[in-house]
Amino acid sequence: MEGQLLNSQPAVLTGTKKRVMYSPMRKDYVALTLRDQYSHNYTNGKQWRRQSCWRKWKQLSRMQRSLILFLLALLLACGIISYPSLSQHWRGLSDRSAEDDWDAEDIKGVRPIPPGAMPKVNPDHVPEAAPQEIIPELQRPNLPILPKPPEMKKPAPNKRGPPVLQKRGNTSDTQVKEKQEPSEKNEGAREEEQKGETEEEQKGEKALISWRGTVIEAEQSTDPPPSVQEKEGAAGPAKPGEAAPLAPAASVSPEDRVEAVREAFRHAWKGYKEFAWGHDELKPITKTYGEWFGLGLSIIDALDTMWILGLKEEFEEARIWVKDELSFNKNVDVNLFETTIRILGGLLSTYHLTGDGLFLDKAKDIGARLMPAFKTPSKIPFSDVNIGKGTARPPRWTTDSTVAEVTSIQLEFRELSRLTNDPQYQTVVDEVMSRVHRLEGKHDGLVPMFINTNSGKFTHRGVYTLGARADSYYEYLLKQWLQGGKTETALLEDYLQAIEGVRKNLLKKTQPSLLTFVGELSHGRLNPKMDHLVCFLPGTLALGAHNGLPAEHMELALELMDTCHQMYAQMETGLSPEIAHFNLQPRNGRDVDVKPADRHNLLRPETVESLFYLYRYTHDSKYRDWGWEILQSFNKYTRVPTGGYSSISNVRDPVSPGPRDKMESFFLGETLKYLFLLFSDDEQLVSLDKYVFNTEAHPLPLWPVAS
């Protein structure tokens, strides 16, 4: 029991000083608390902690409290956003765990592929149905975008309608699809909405879920596909957007492969025309466009491809756009190198193939507008030009230009001078080559990656590569020599010296397969990495050997071609990474390793370019077969059903390759063109004895030798 007695009259404070005043009747009291001997002293610890935390929170300043609340809200938002992708990721891991119990034939493409081998399809094997809660139902192009993937039906034999085959060949119609909610559309409603297009729905293809929430149309049924002729007889003309099913390389004729490339181009062009017409690049996943210079790069880059492929209707609509819409009178900064190889090169090439003066007039216009780039103290051109204002500048972060950029514009400017009888274009680019020829800082003919526009000297010395920022310097040494009738000996000397420098300083062999690769020399130490860009080299070496250069160049070309093929064959998707690292010591049975940041594929052309040269000069059918395999992989992992192809983020993950939503103009201008020429039996279509290709695959004529 607790009792407490209080004074009946409280103290009083008076004046400015505190004085305690009591009444005359003062009484003293004592407060007394009594406890039971069995009672326990109880303290509410939780309440005390809450009060303590609250006091500490109140002691914080308003700014500190606001910052903490903001960070908590940001973490919550990030968690909500990342939840779908994380769930898909763990679901993919679960899928792969389940597949570990399957037979090895059922996990094709998941394990490392041994050197020299490509994944084979077993026509007698039908994969087991995957768990319904994991694998989404096959979906068709152009279905509405719904939030969740539907249940997957048991795969049925695949018999797609006969297309005008796509570039990627009689391959699966690799398509990127949005996942759909099964409950929102029943089967009957879907058939009703897609009347006339149900044939593809019945094929039972297996879909692959992308980490971005899209679905790449995946592996087809393993049943052997019918031939093109059988499909045409059974189903009539192909529907737009369809591609032929996967077929073994040996079973497809060159004519079918050529038609496959045409169909691929039509499919890519369909997406560009519908979603990005007149703009630089297509974004096929989001069905929109990307802008770089605002000059319709994809149209101009693809002009001569359409002409070579015989696509007259598409070429004519592109010509009308060039005539009526293309204007270079724009206040826009453009890159000298990219504008030269894609736009100037594309216009000049199309003029030569068609004889249409419209393209020469446009070439003259853009060529004149690029000339301010050469107004530098050193005559080494600036990287950027404003084609509307007539001004030029280096990049904002440096006064350097890359060596590849300033030495890979010569073919185009020299040809413009020849056609216009105006020497100024050739004069400025020849001056660049003359200065680089005399410069100090080379290493056995190899050049650094950067050159200063003020001093005209190499910078960042010590790093030598045939990859980005230096690659096409070596290519244009040989091709200028060929273009000019093999009369400019300084160009040939620099080329031969550079190839010897490559052999001496950059060549190594891998383990365990002894693949020959071109590494990167960094301050005296070899880095065993090789850009996909370096795969231009086998074709260039073969071109030189065909024109009388040492036979050992051809031997090296054959070795490097095998390596570039393995950069595709040893990847689970059958597509090469942007950069490969090679093992100099045995490691896990692999020759090629890929770092996470290098696993993307941009639909690049360099390997199929070299396959084209190697087949032209050797007629070895394996090069066509390798090109066909690449075509099928592009169709399987990069083709978008609504039109176009998308670069991907991870060539090591066939389940979630990660579409990057971009189709570079060089896919139309180079990749498809070289594949078509590789498969074509008409070697006079673009004869290598009459034309030289610029670094964007635009053929320019070899100059007649003066008698």
Side-chain angles (χ1 to χ4, degrees), residues 485-548:
K486 306 180 183 178
T487 60
E488 298 157 287
T489 56
L491 296 169
L492 178 61
E493 291 171 0
D494 286 347
Y495 175 75
L496 292 174
Q497 186 179 10
I499 299 304
E500 287 306 306
V502 170
R503 299 177 68 92
K504 179 180 178 181
N505 298 284
L506 304 183
L507 285 189
K508 289 289 182 180
K509 288 187 180 290
T510 69
Q511 294 291 336
S513 303
L514 300 179
L515 300 175
T516 301
F517 71 93
V518 179
E520 181 178 287
L521 189 66
S522 179
H523 303 286
R525 185 172 183 177
L526 183 73
N527 185 357
K529 65 180 284 285
M530 181 168 139
D531 295 0
H532 184 274
L533 289 168
V534 181
C535 286
F536 84 91
L537 187 57
T540 300
L541 289 168
L543 177 64
H546 176 72
N547 284 275

Side-chain angles (χ1 to χ4, degrees), residues 182-191:
S183 62
E184 298 196 22
K185 283 205 180 229
N186 58 31
E187 200 66 24
R190 187 155 52 240
E191 290 182 2

Side-chain angles (χ1 to χ4, degrees), residues 39 51 78 256 298 376 411 430 448 475 525 560:
S39 65
Q51 292 175 350
C78 292
D256 289 343
S298 290
T376 68
L411 291 178
D430 282 353
E475 176 188 358
R525 185 172 183 177
L560 291 174

